[in-house]
Amino acid sequence: MTFQLPYPAPKTAVGECLGERYLIVKIPHKAVDAAAVREAFGLSLRKLGRSKCDLLLLHWPSTELIRHWEVLMELKRLGKARAIGICNVGSDVIQ
């Protein structure tokens, strides 16, 4: 089965720190609503053959930050992500 998104696929990375490996998933800024965030996250996990990640990031979050953040908190509560965060964001969006 092929999954097609209307925007670039989420980025994934495996980092190494002190001998441990971490799976990081970045949700692209073009994921415009909560459903798109969930879909992008699910696609990334399916591509990697994983059921969860260590760190889930919103990349260049938009003005929909609060709605997207709620999705990340839900995924964390469900055990799909050990930690959540945002990256490449200005203080004006956070405020």
Side-chain angles (χ1 to χ4, degrees), residues 14-25:
V14 177
E16 245 181 88
C17 178
L18 302 175
E20 295 183 37
R21 293 177 190 227
Y22 299 95
L23 178 65
I24 302 166
V25 174

Side-chain angles (χ1 to χ4, degrees), residues 18-88:
L18 302 175
E20 295 183 37
R21 293 177 190 227
Y22 299 95
L23 178 65
I24 302 166
V25 174
K26 286 192 336 186
I27 302 298
H29 69 282
K30 292 185 179 183
V32 295
D33 58 26
V37 171
R38 285 185 192 92
E39 183 180 3
F41 180 65
L43 172 63
S44 188
L45 292 182
R46 286 189 298 275
K47 281 184 162 183
L48 293 164
R50 301 281 301 264
S51 61
K52 60 185 174 182
C53 72
D54 295 304
L55 176 59
L56 175 57
L57 295 172
L58 283 176
H59 182 71
W60 287 107
S62 68
T63 54
E64 297 295 317
L65 175 60
I66 291 176
R67 287 186 200 166
H68 292 170
W69 187 255
E70 289 170 350
V71 173
L72 267 63
M73 289 190 317
E74 172 191 341
L75 292 168
K76 186 174 187 297
R77 275 193 306 274
L78 293 171
K80 297 290 186 177
R82 284 184 29 195
I84 56 176
I86 55 176
C87 61
N88 295 39

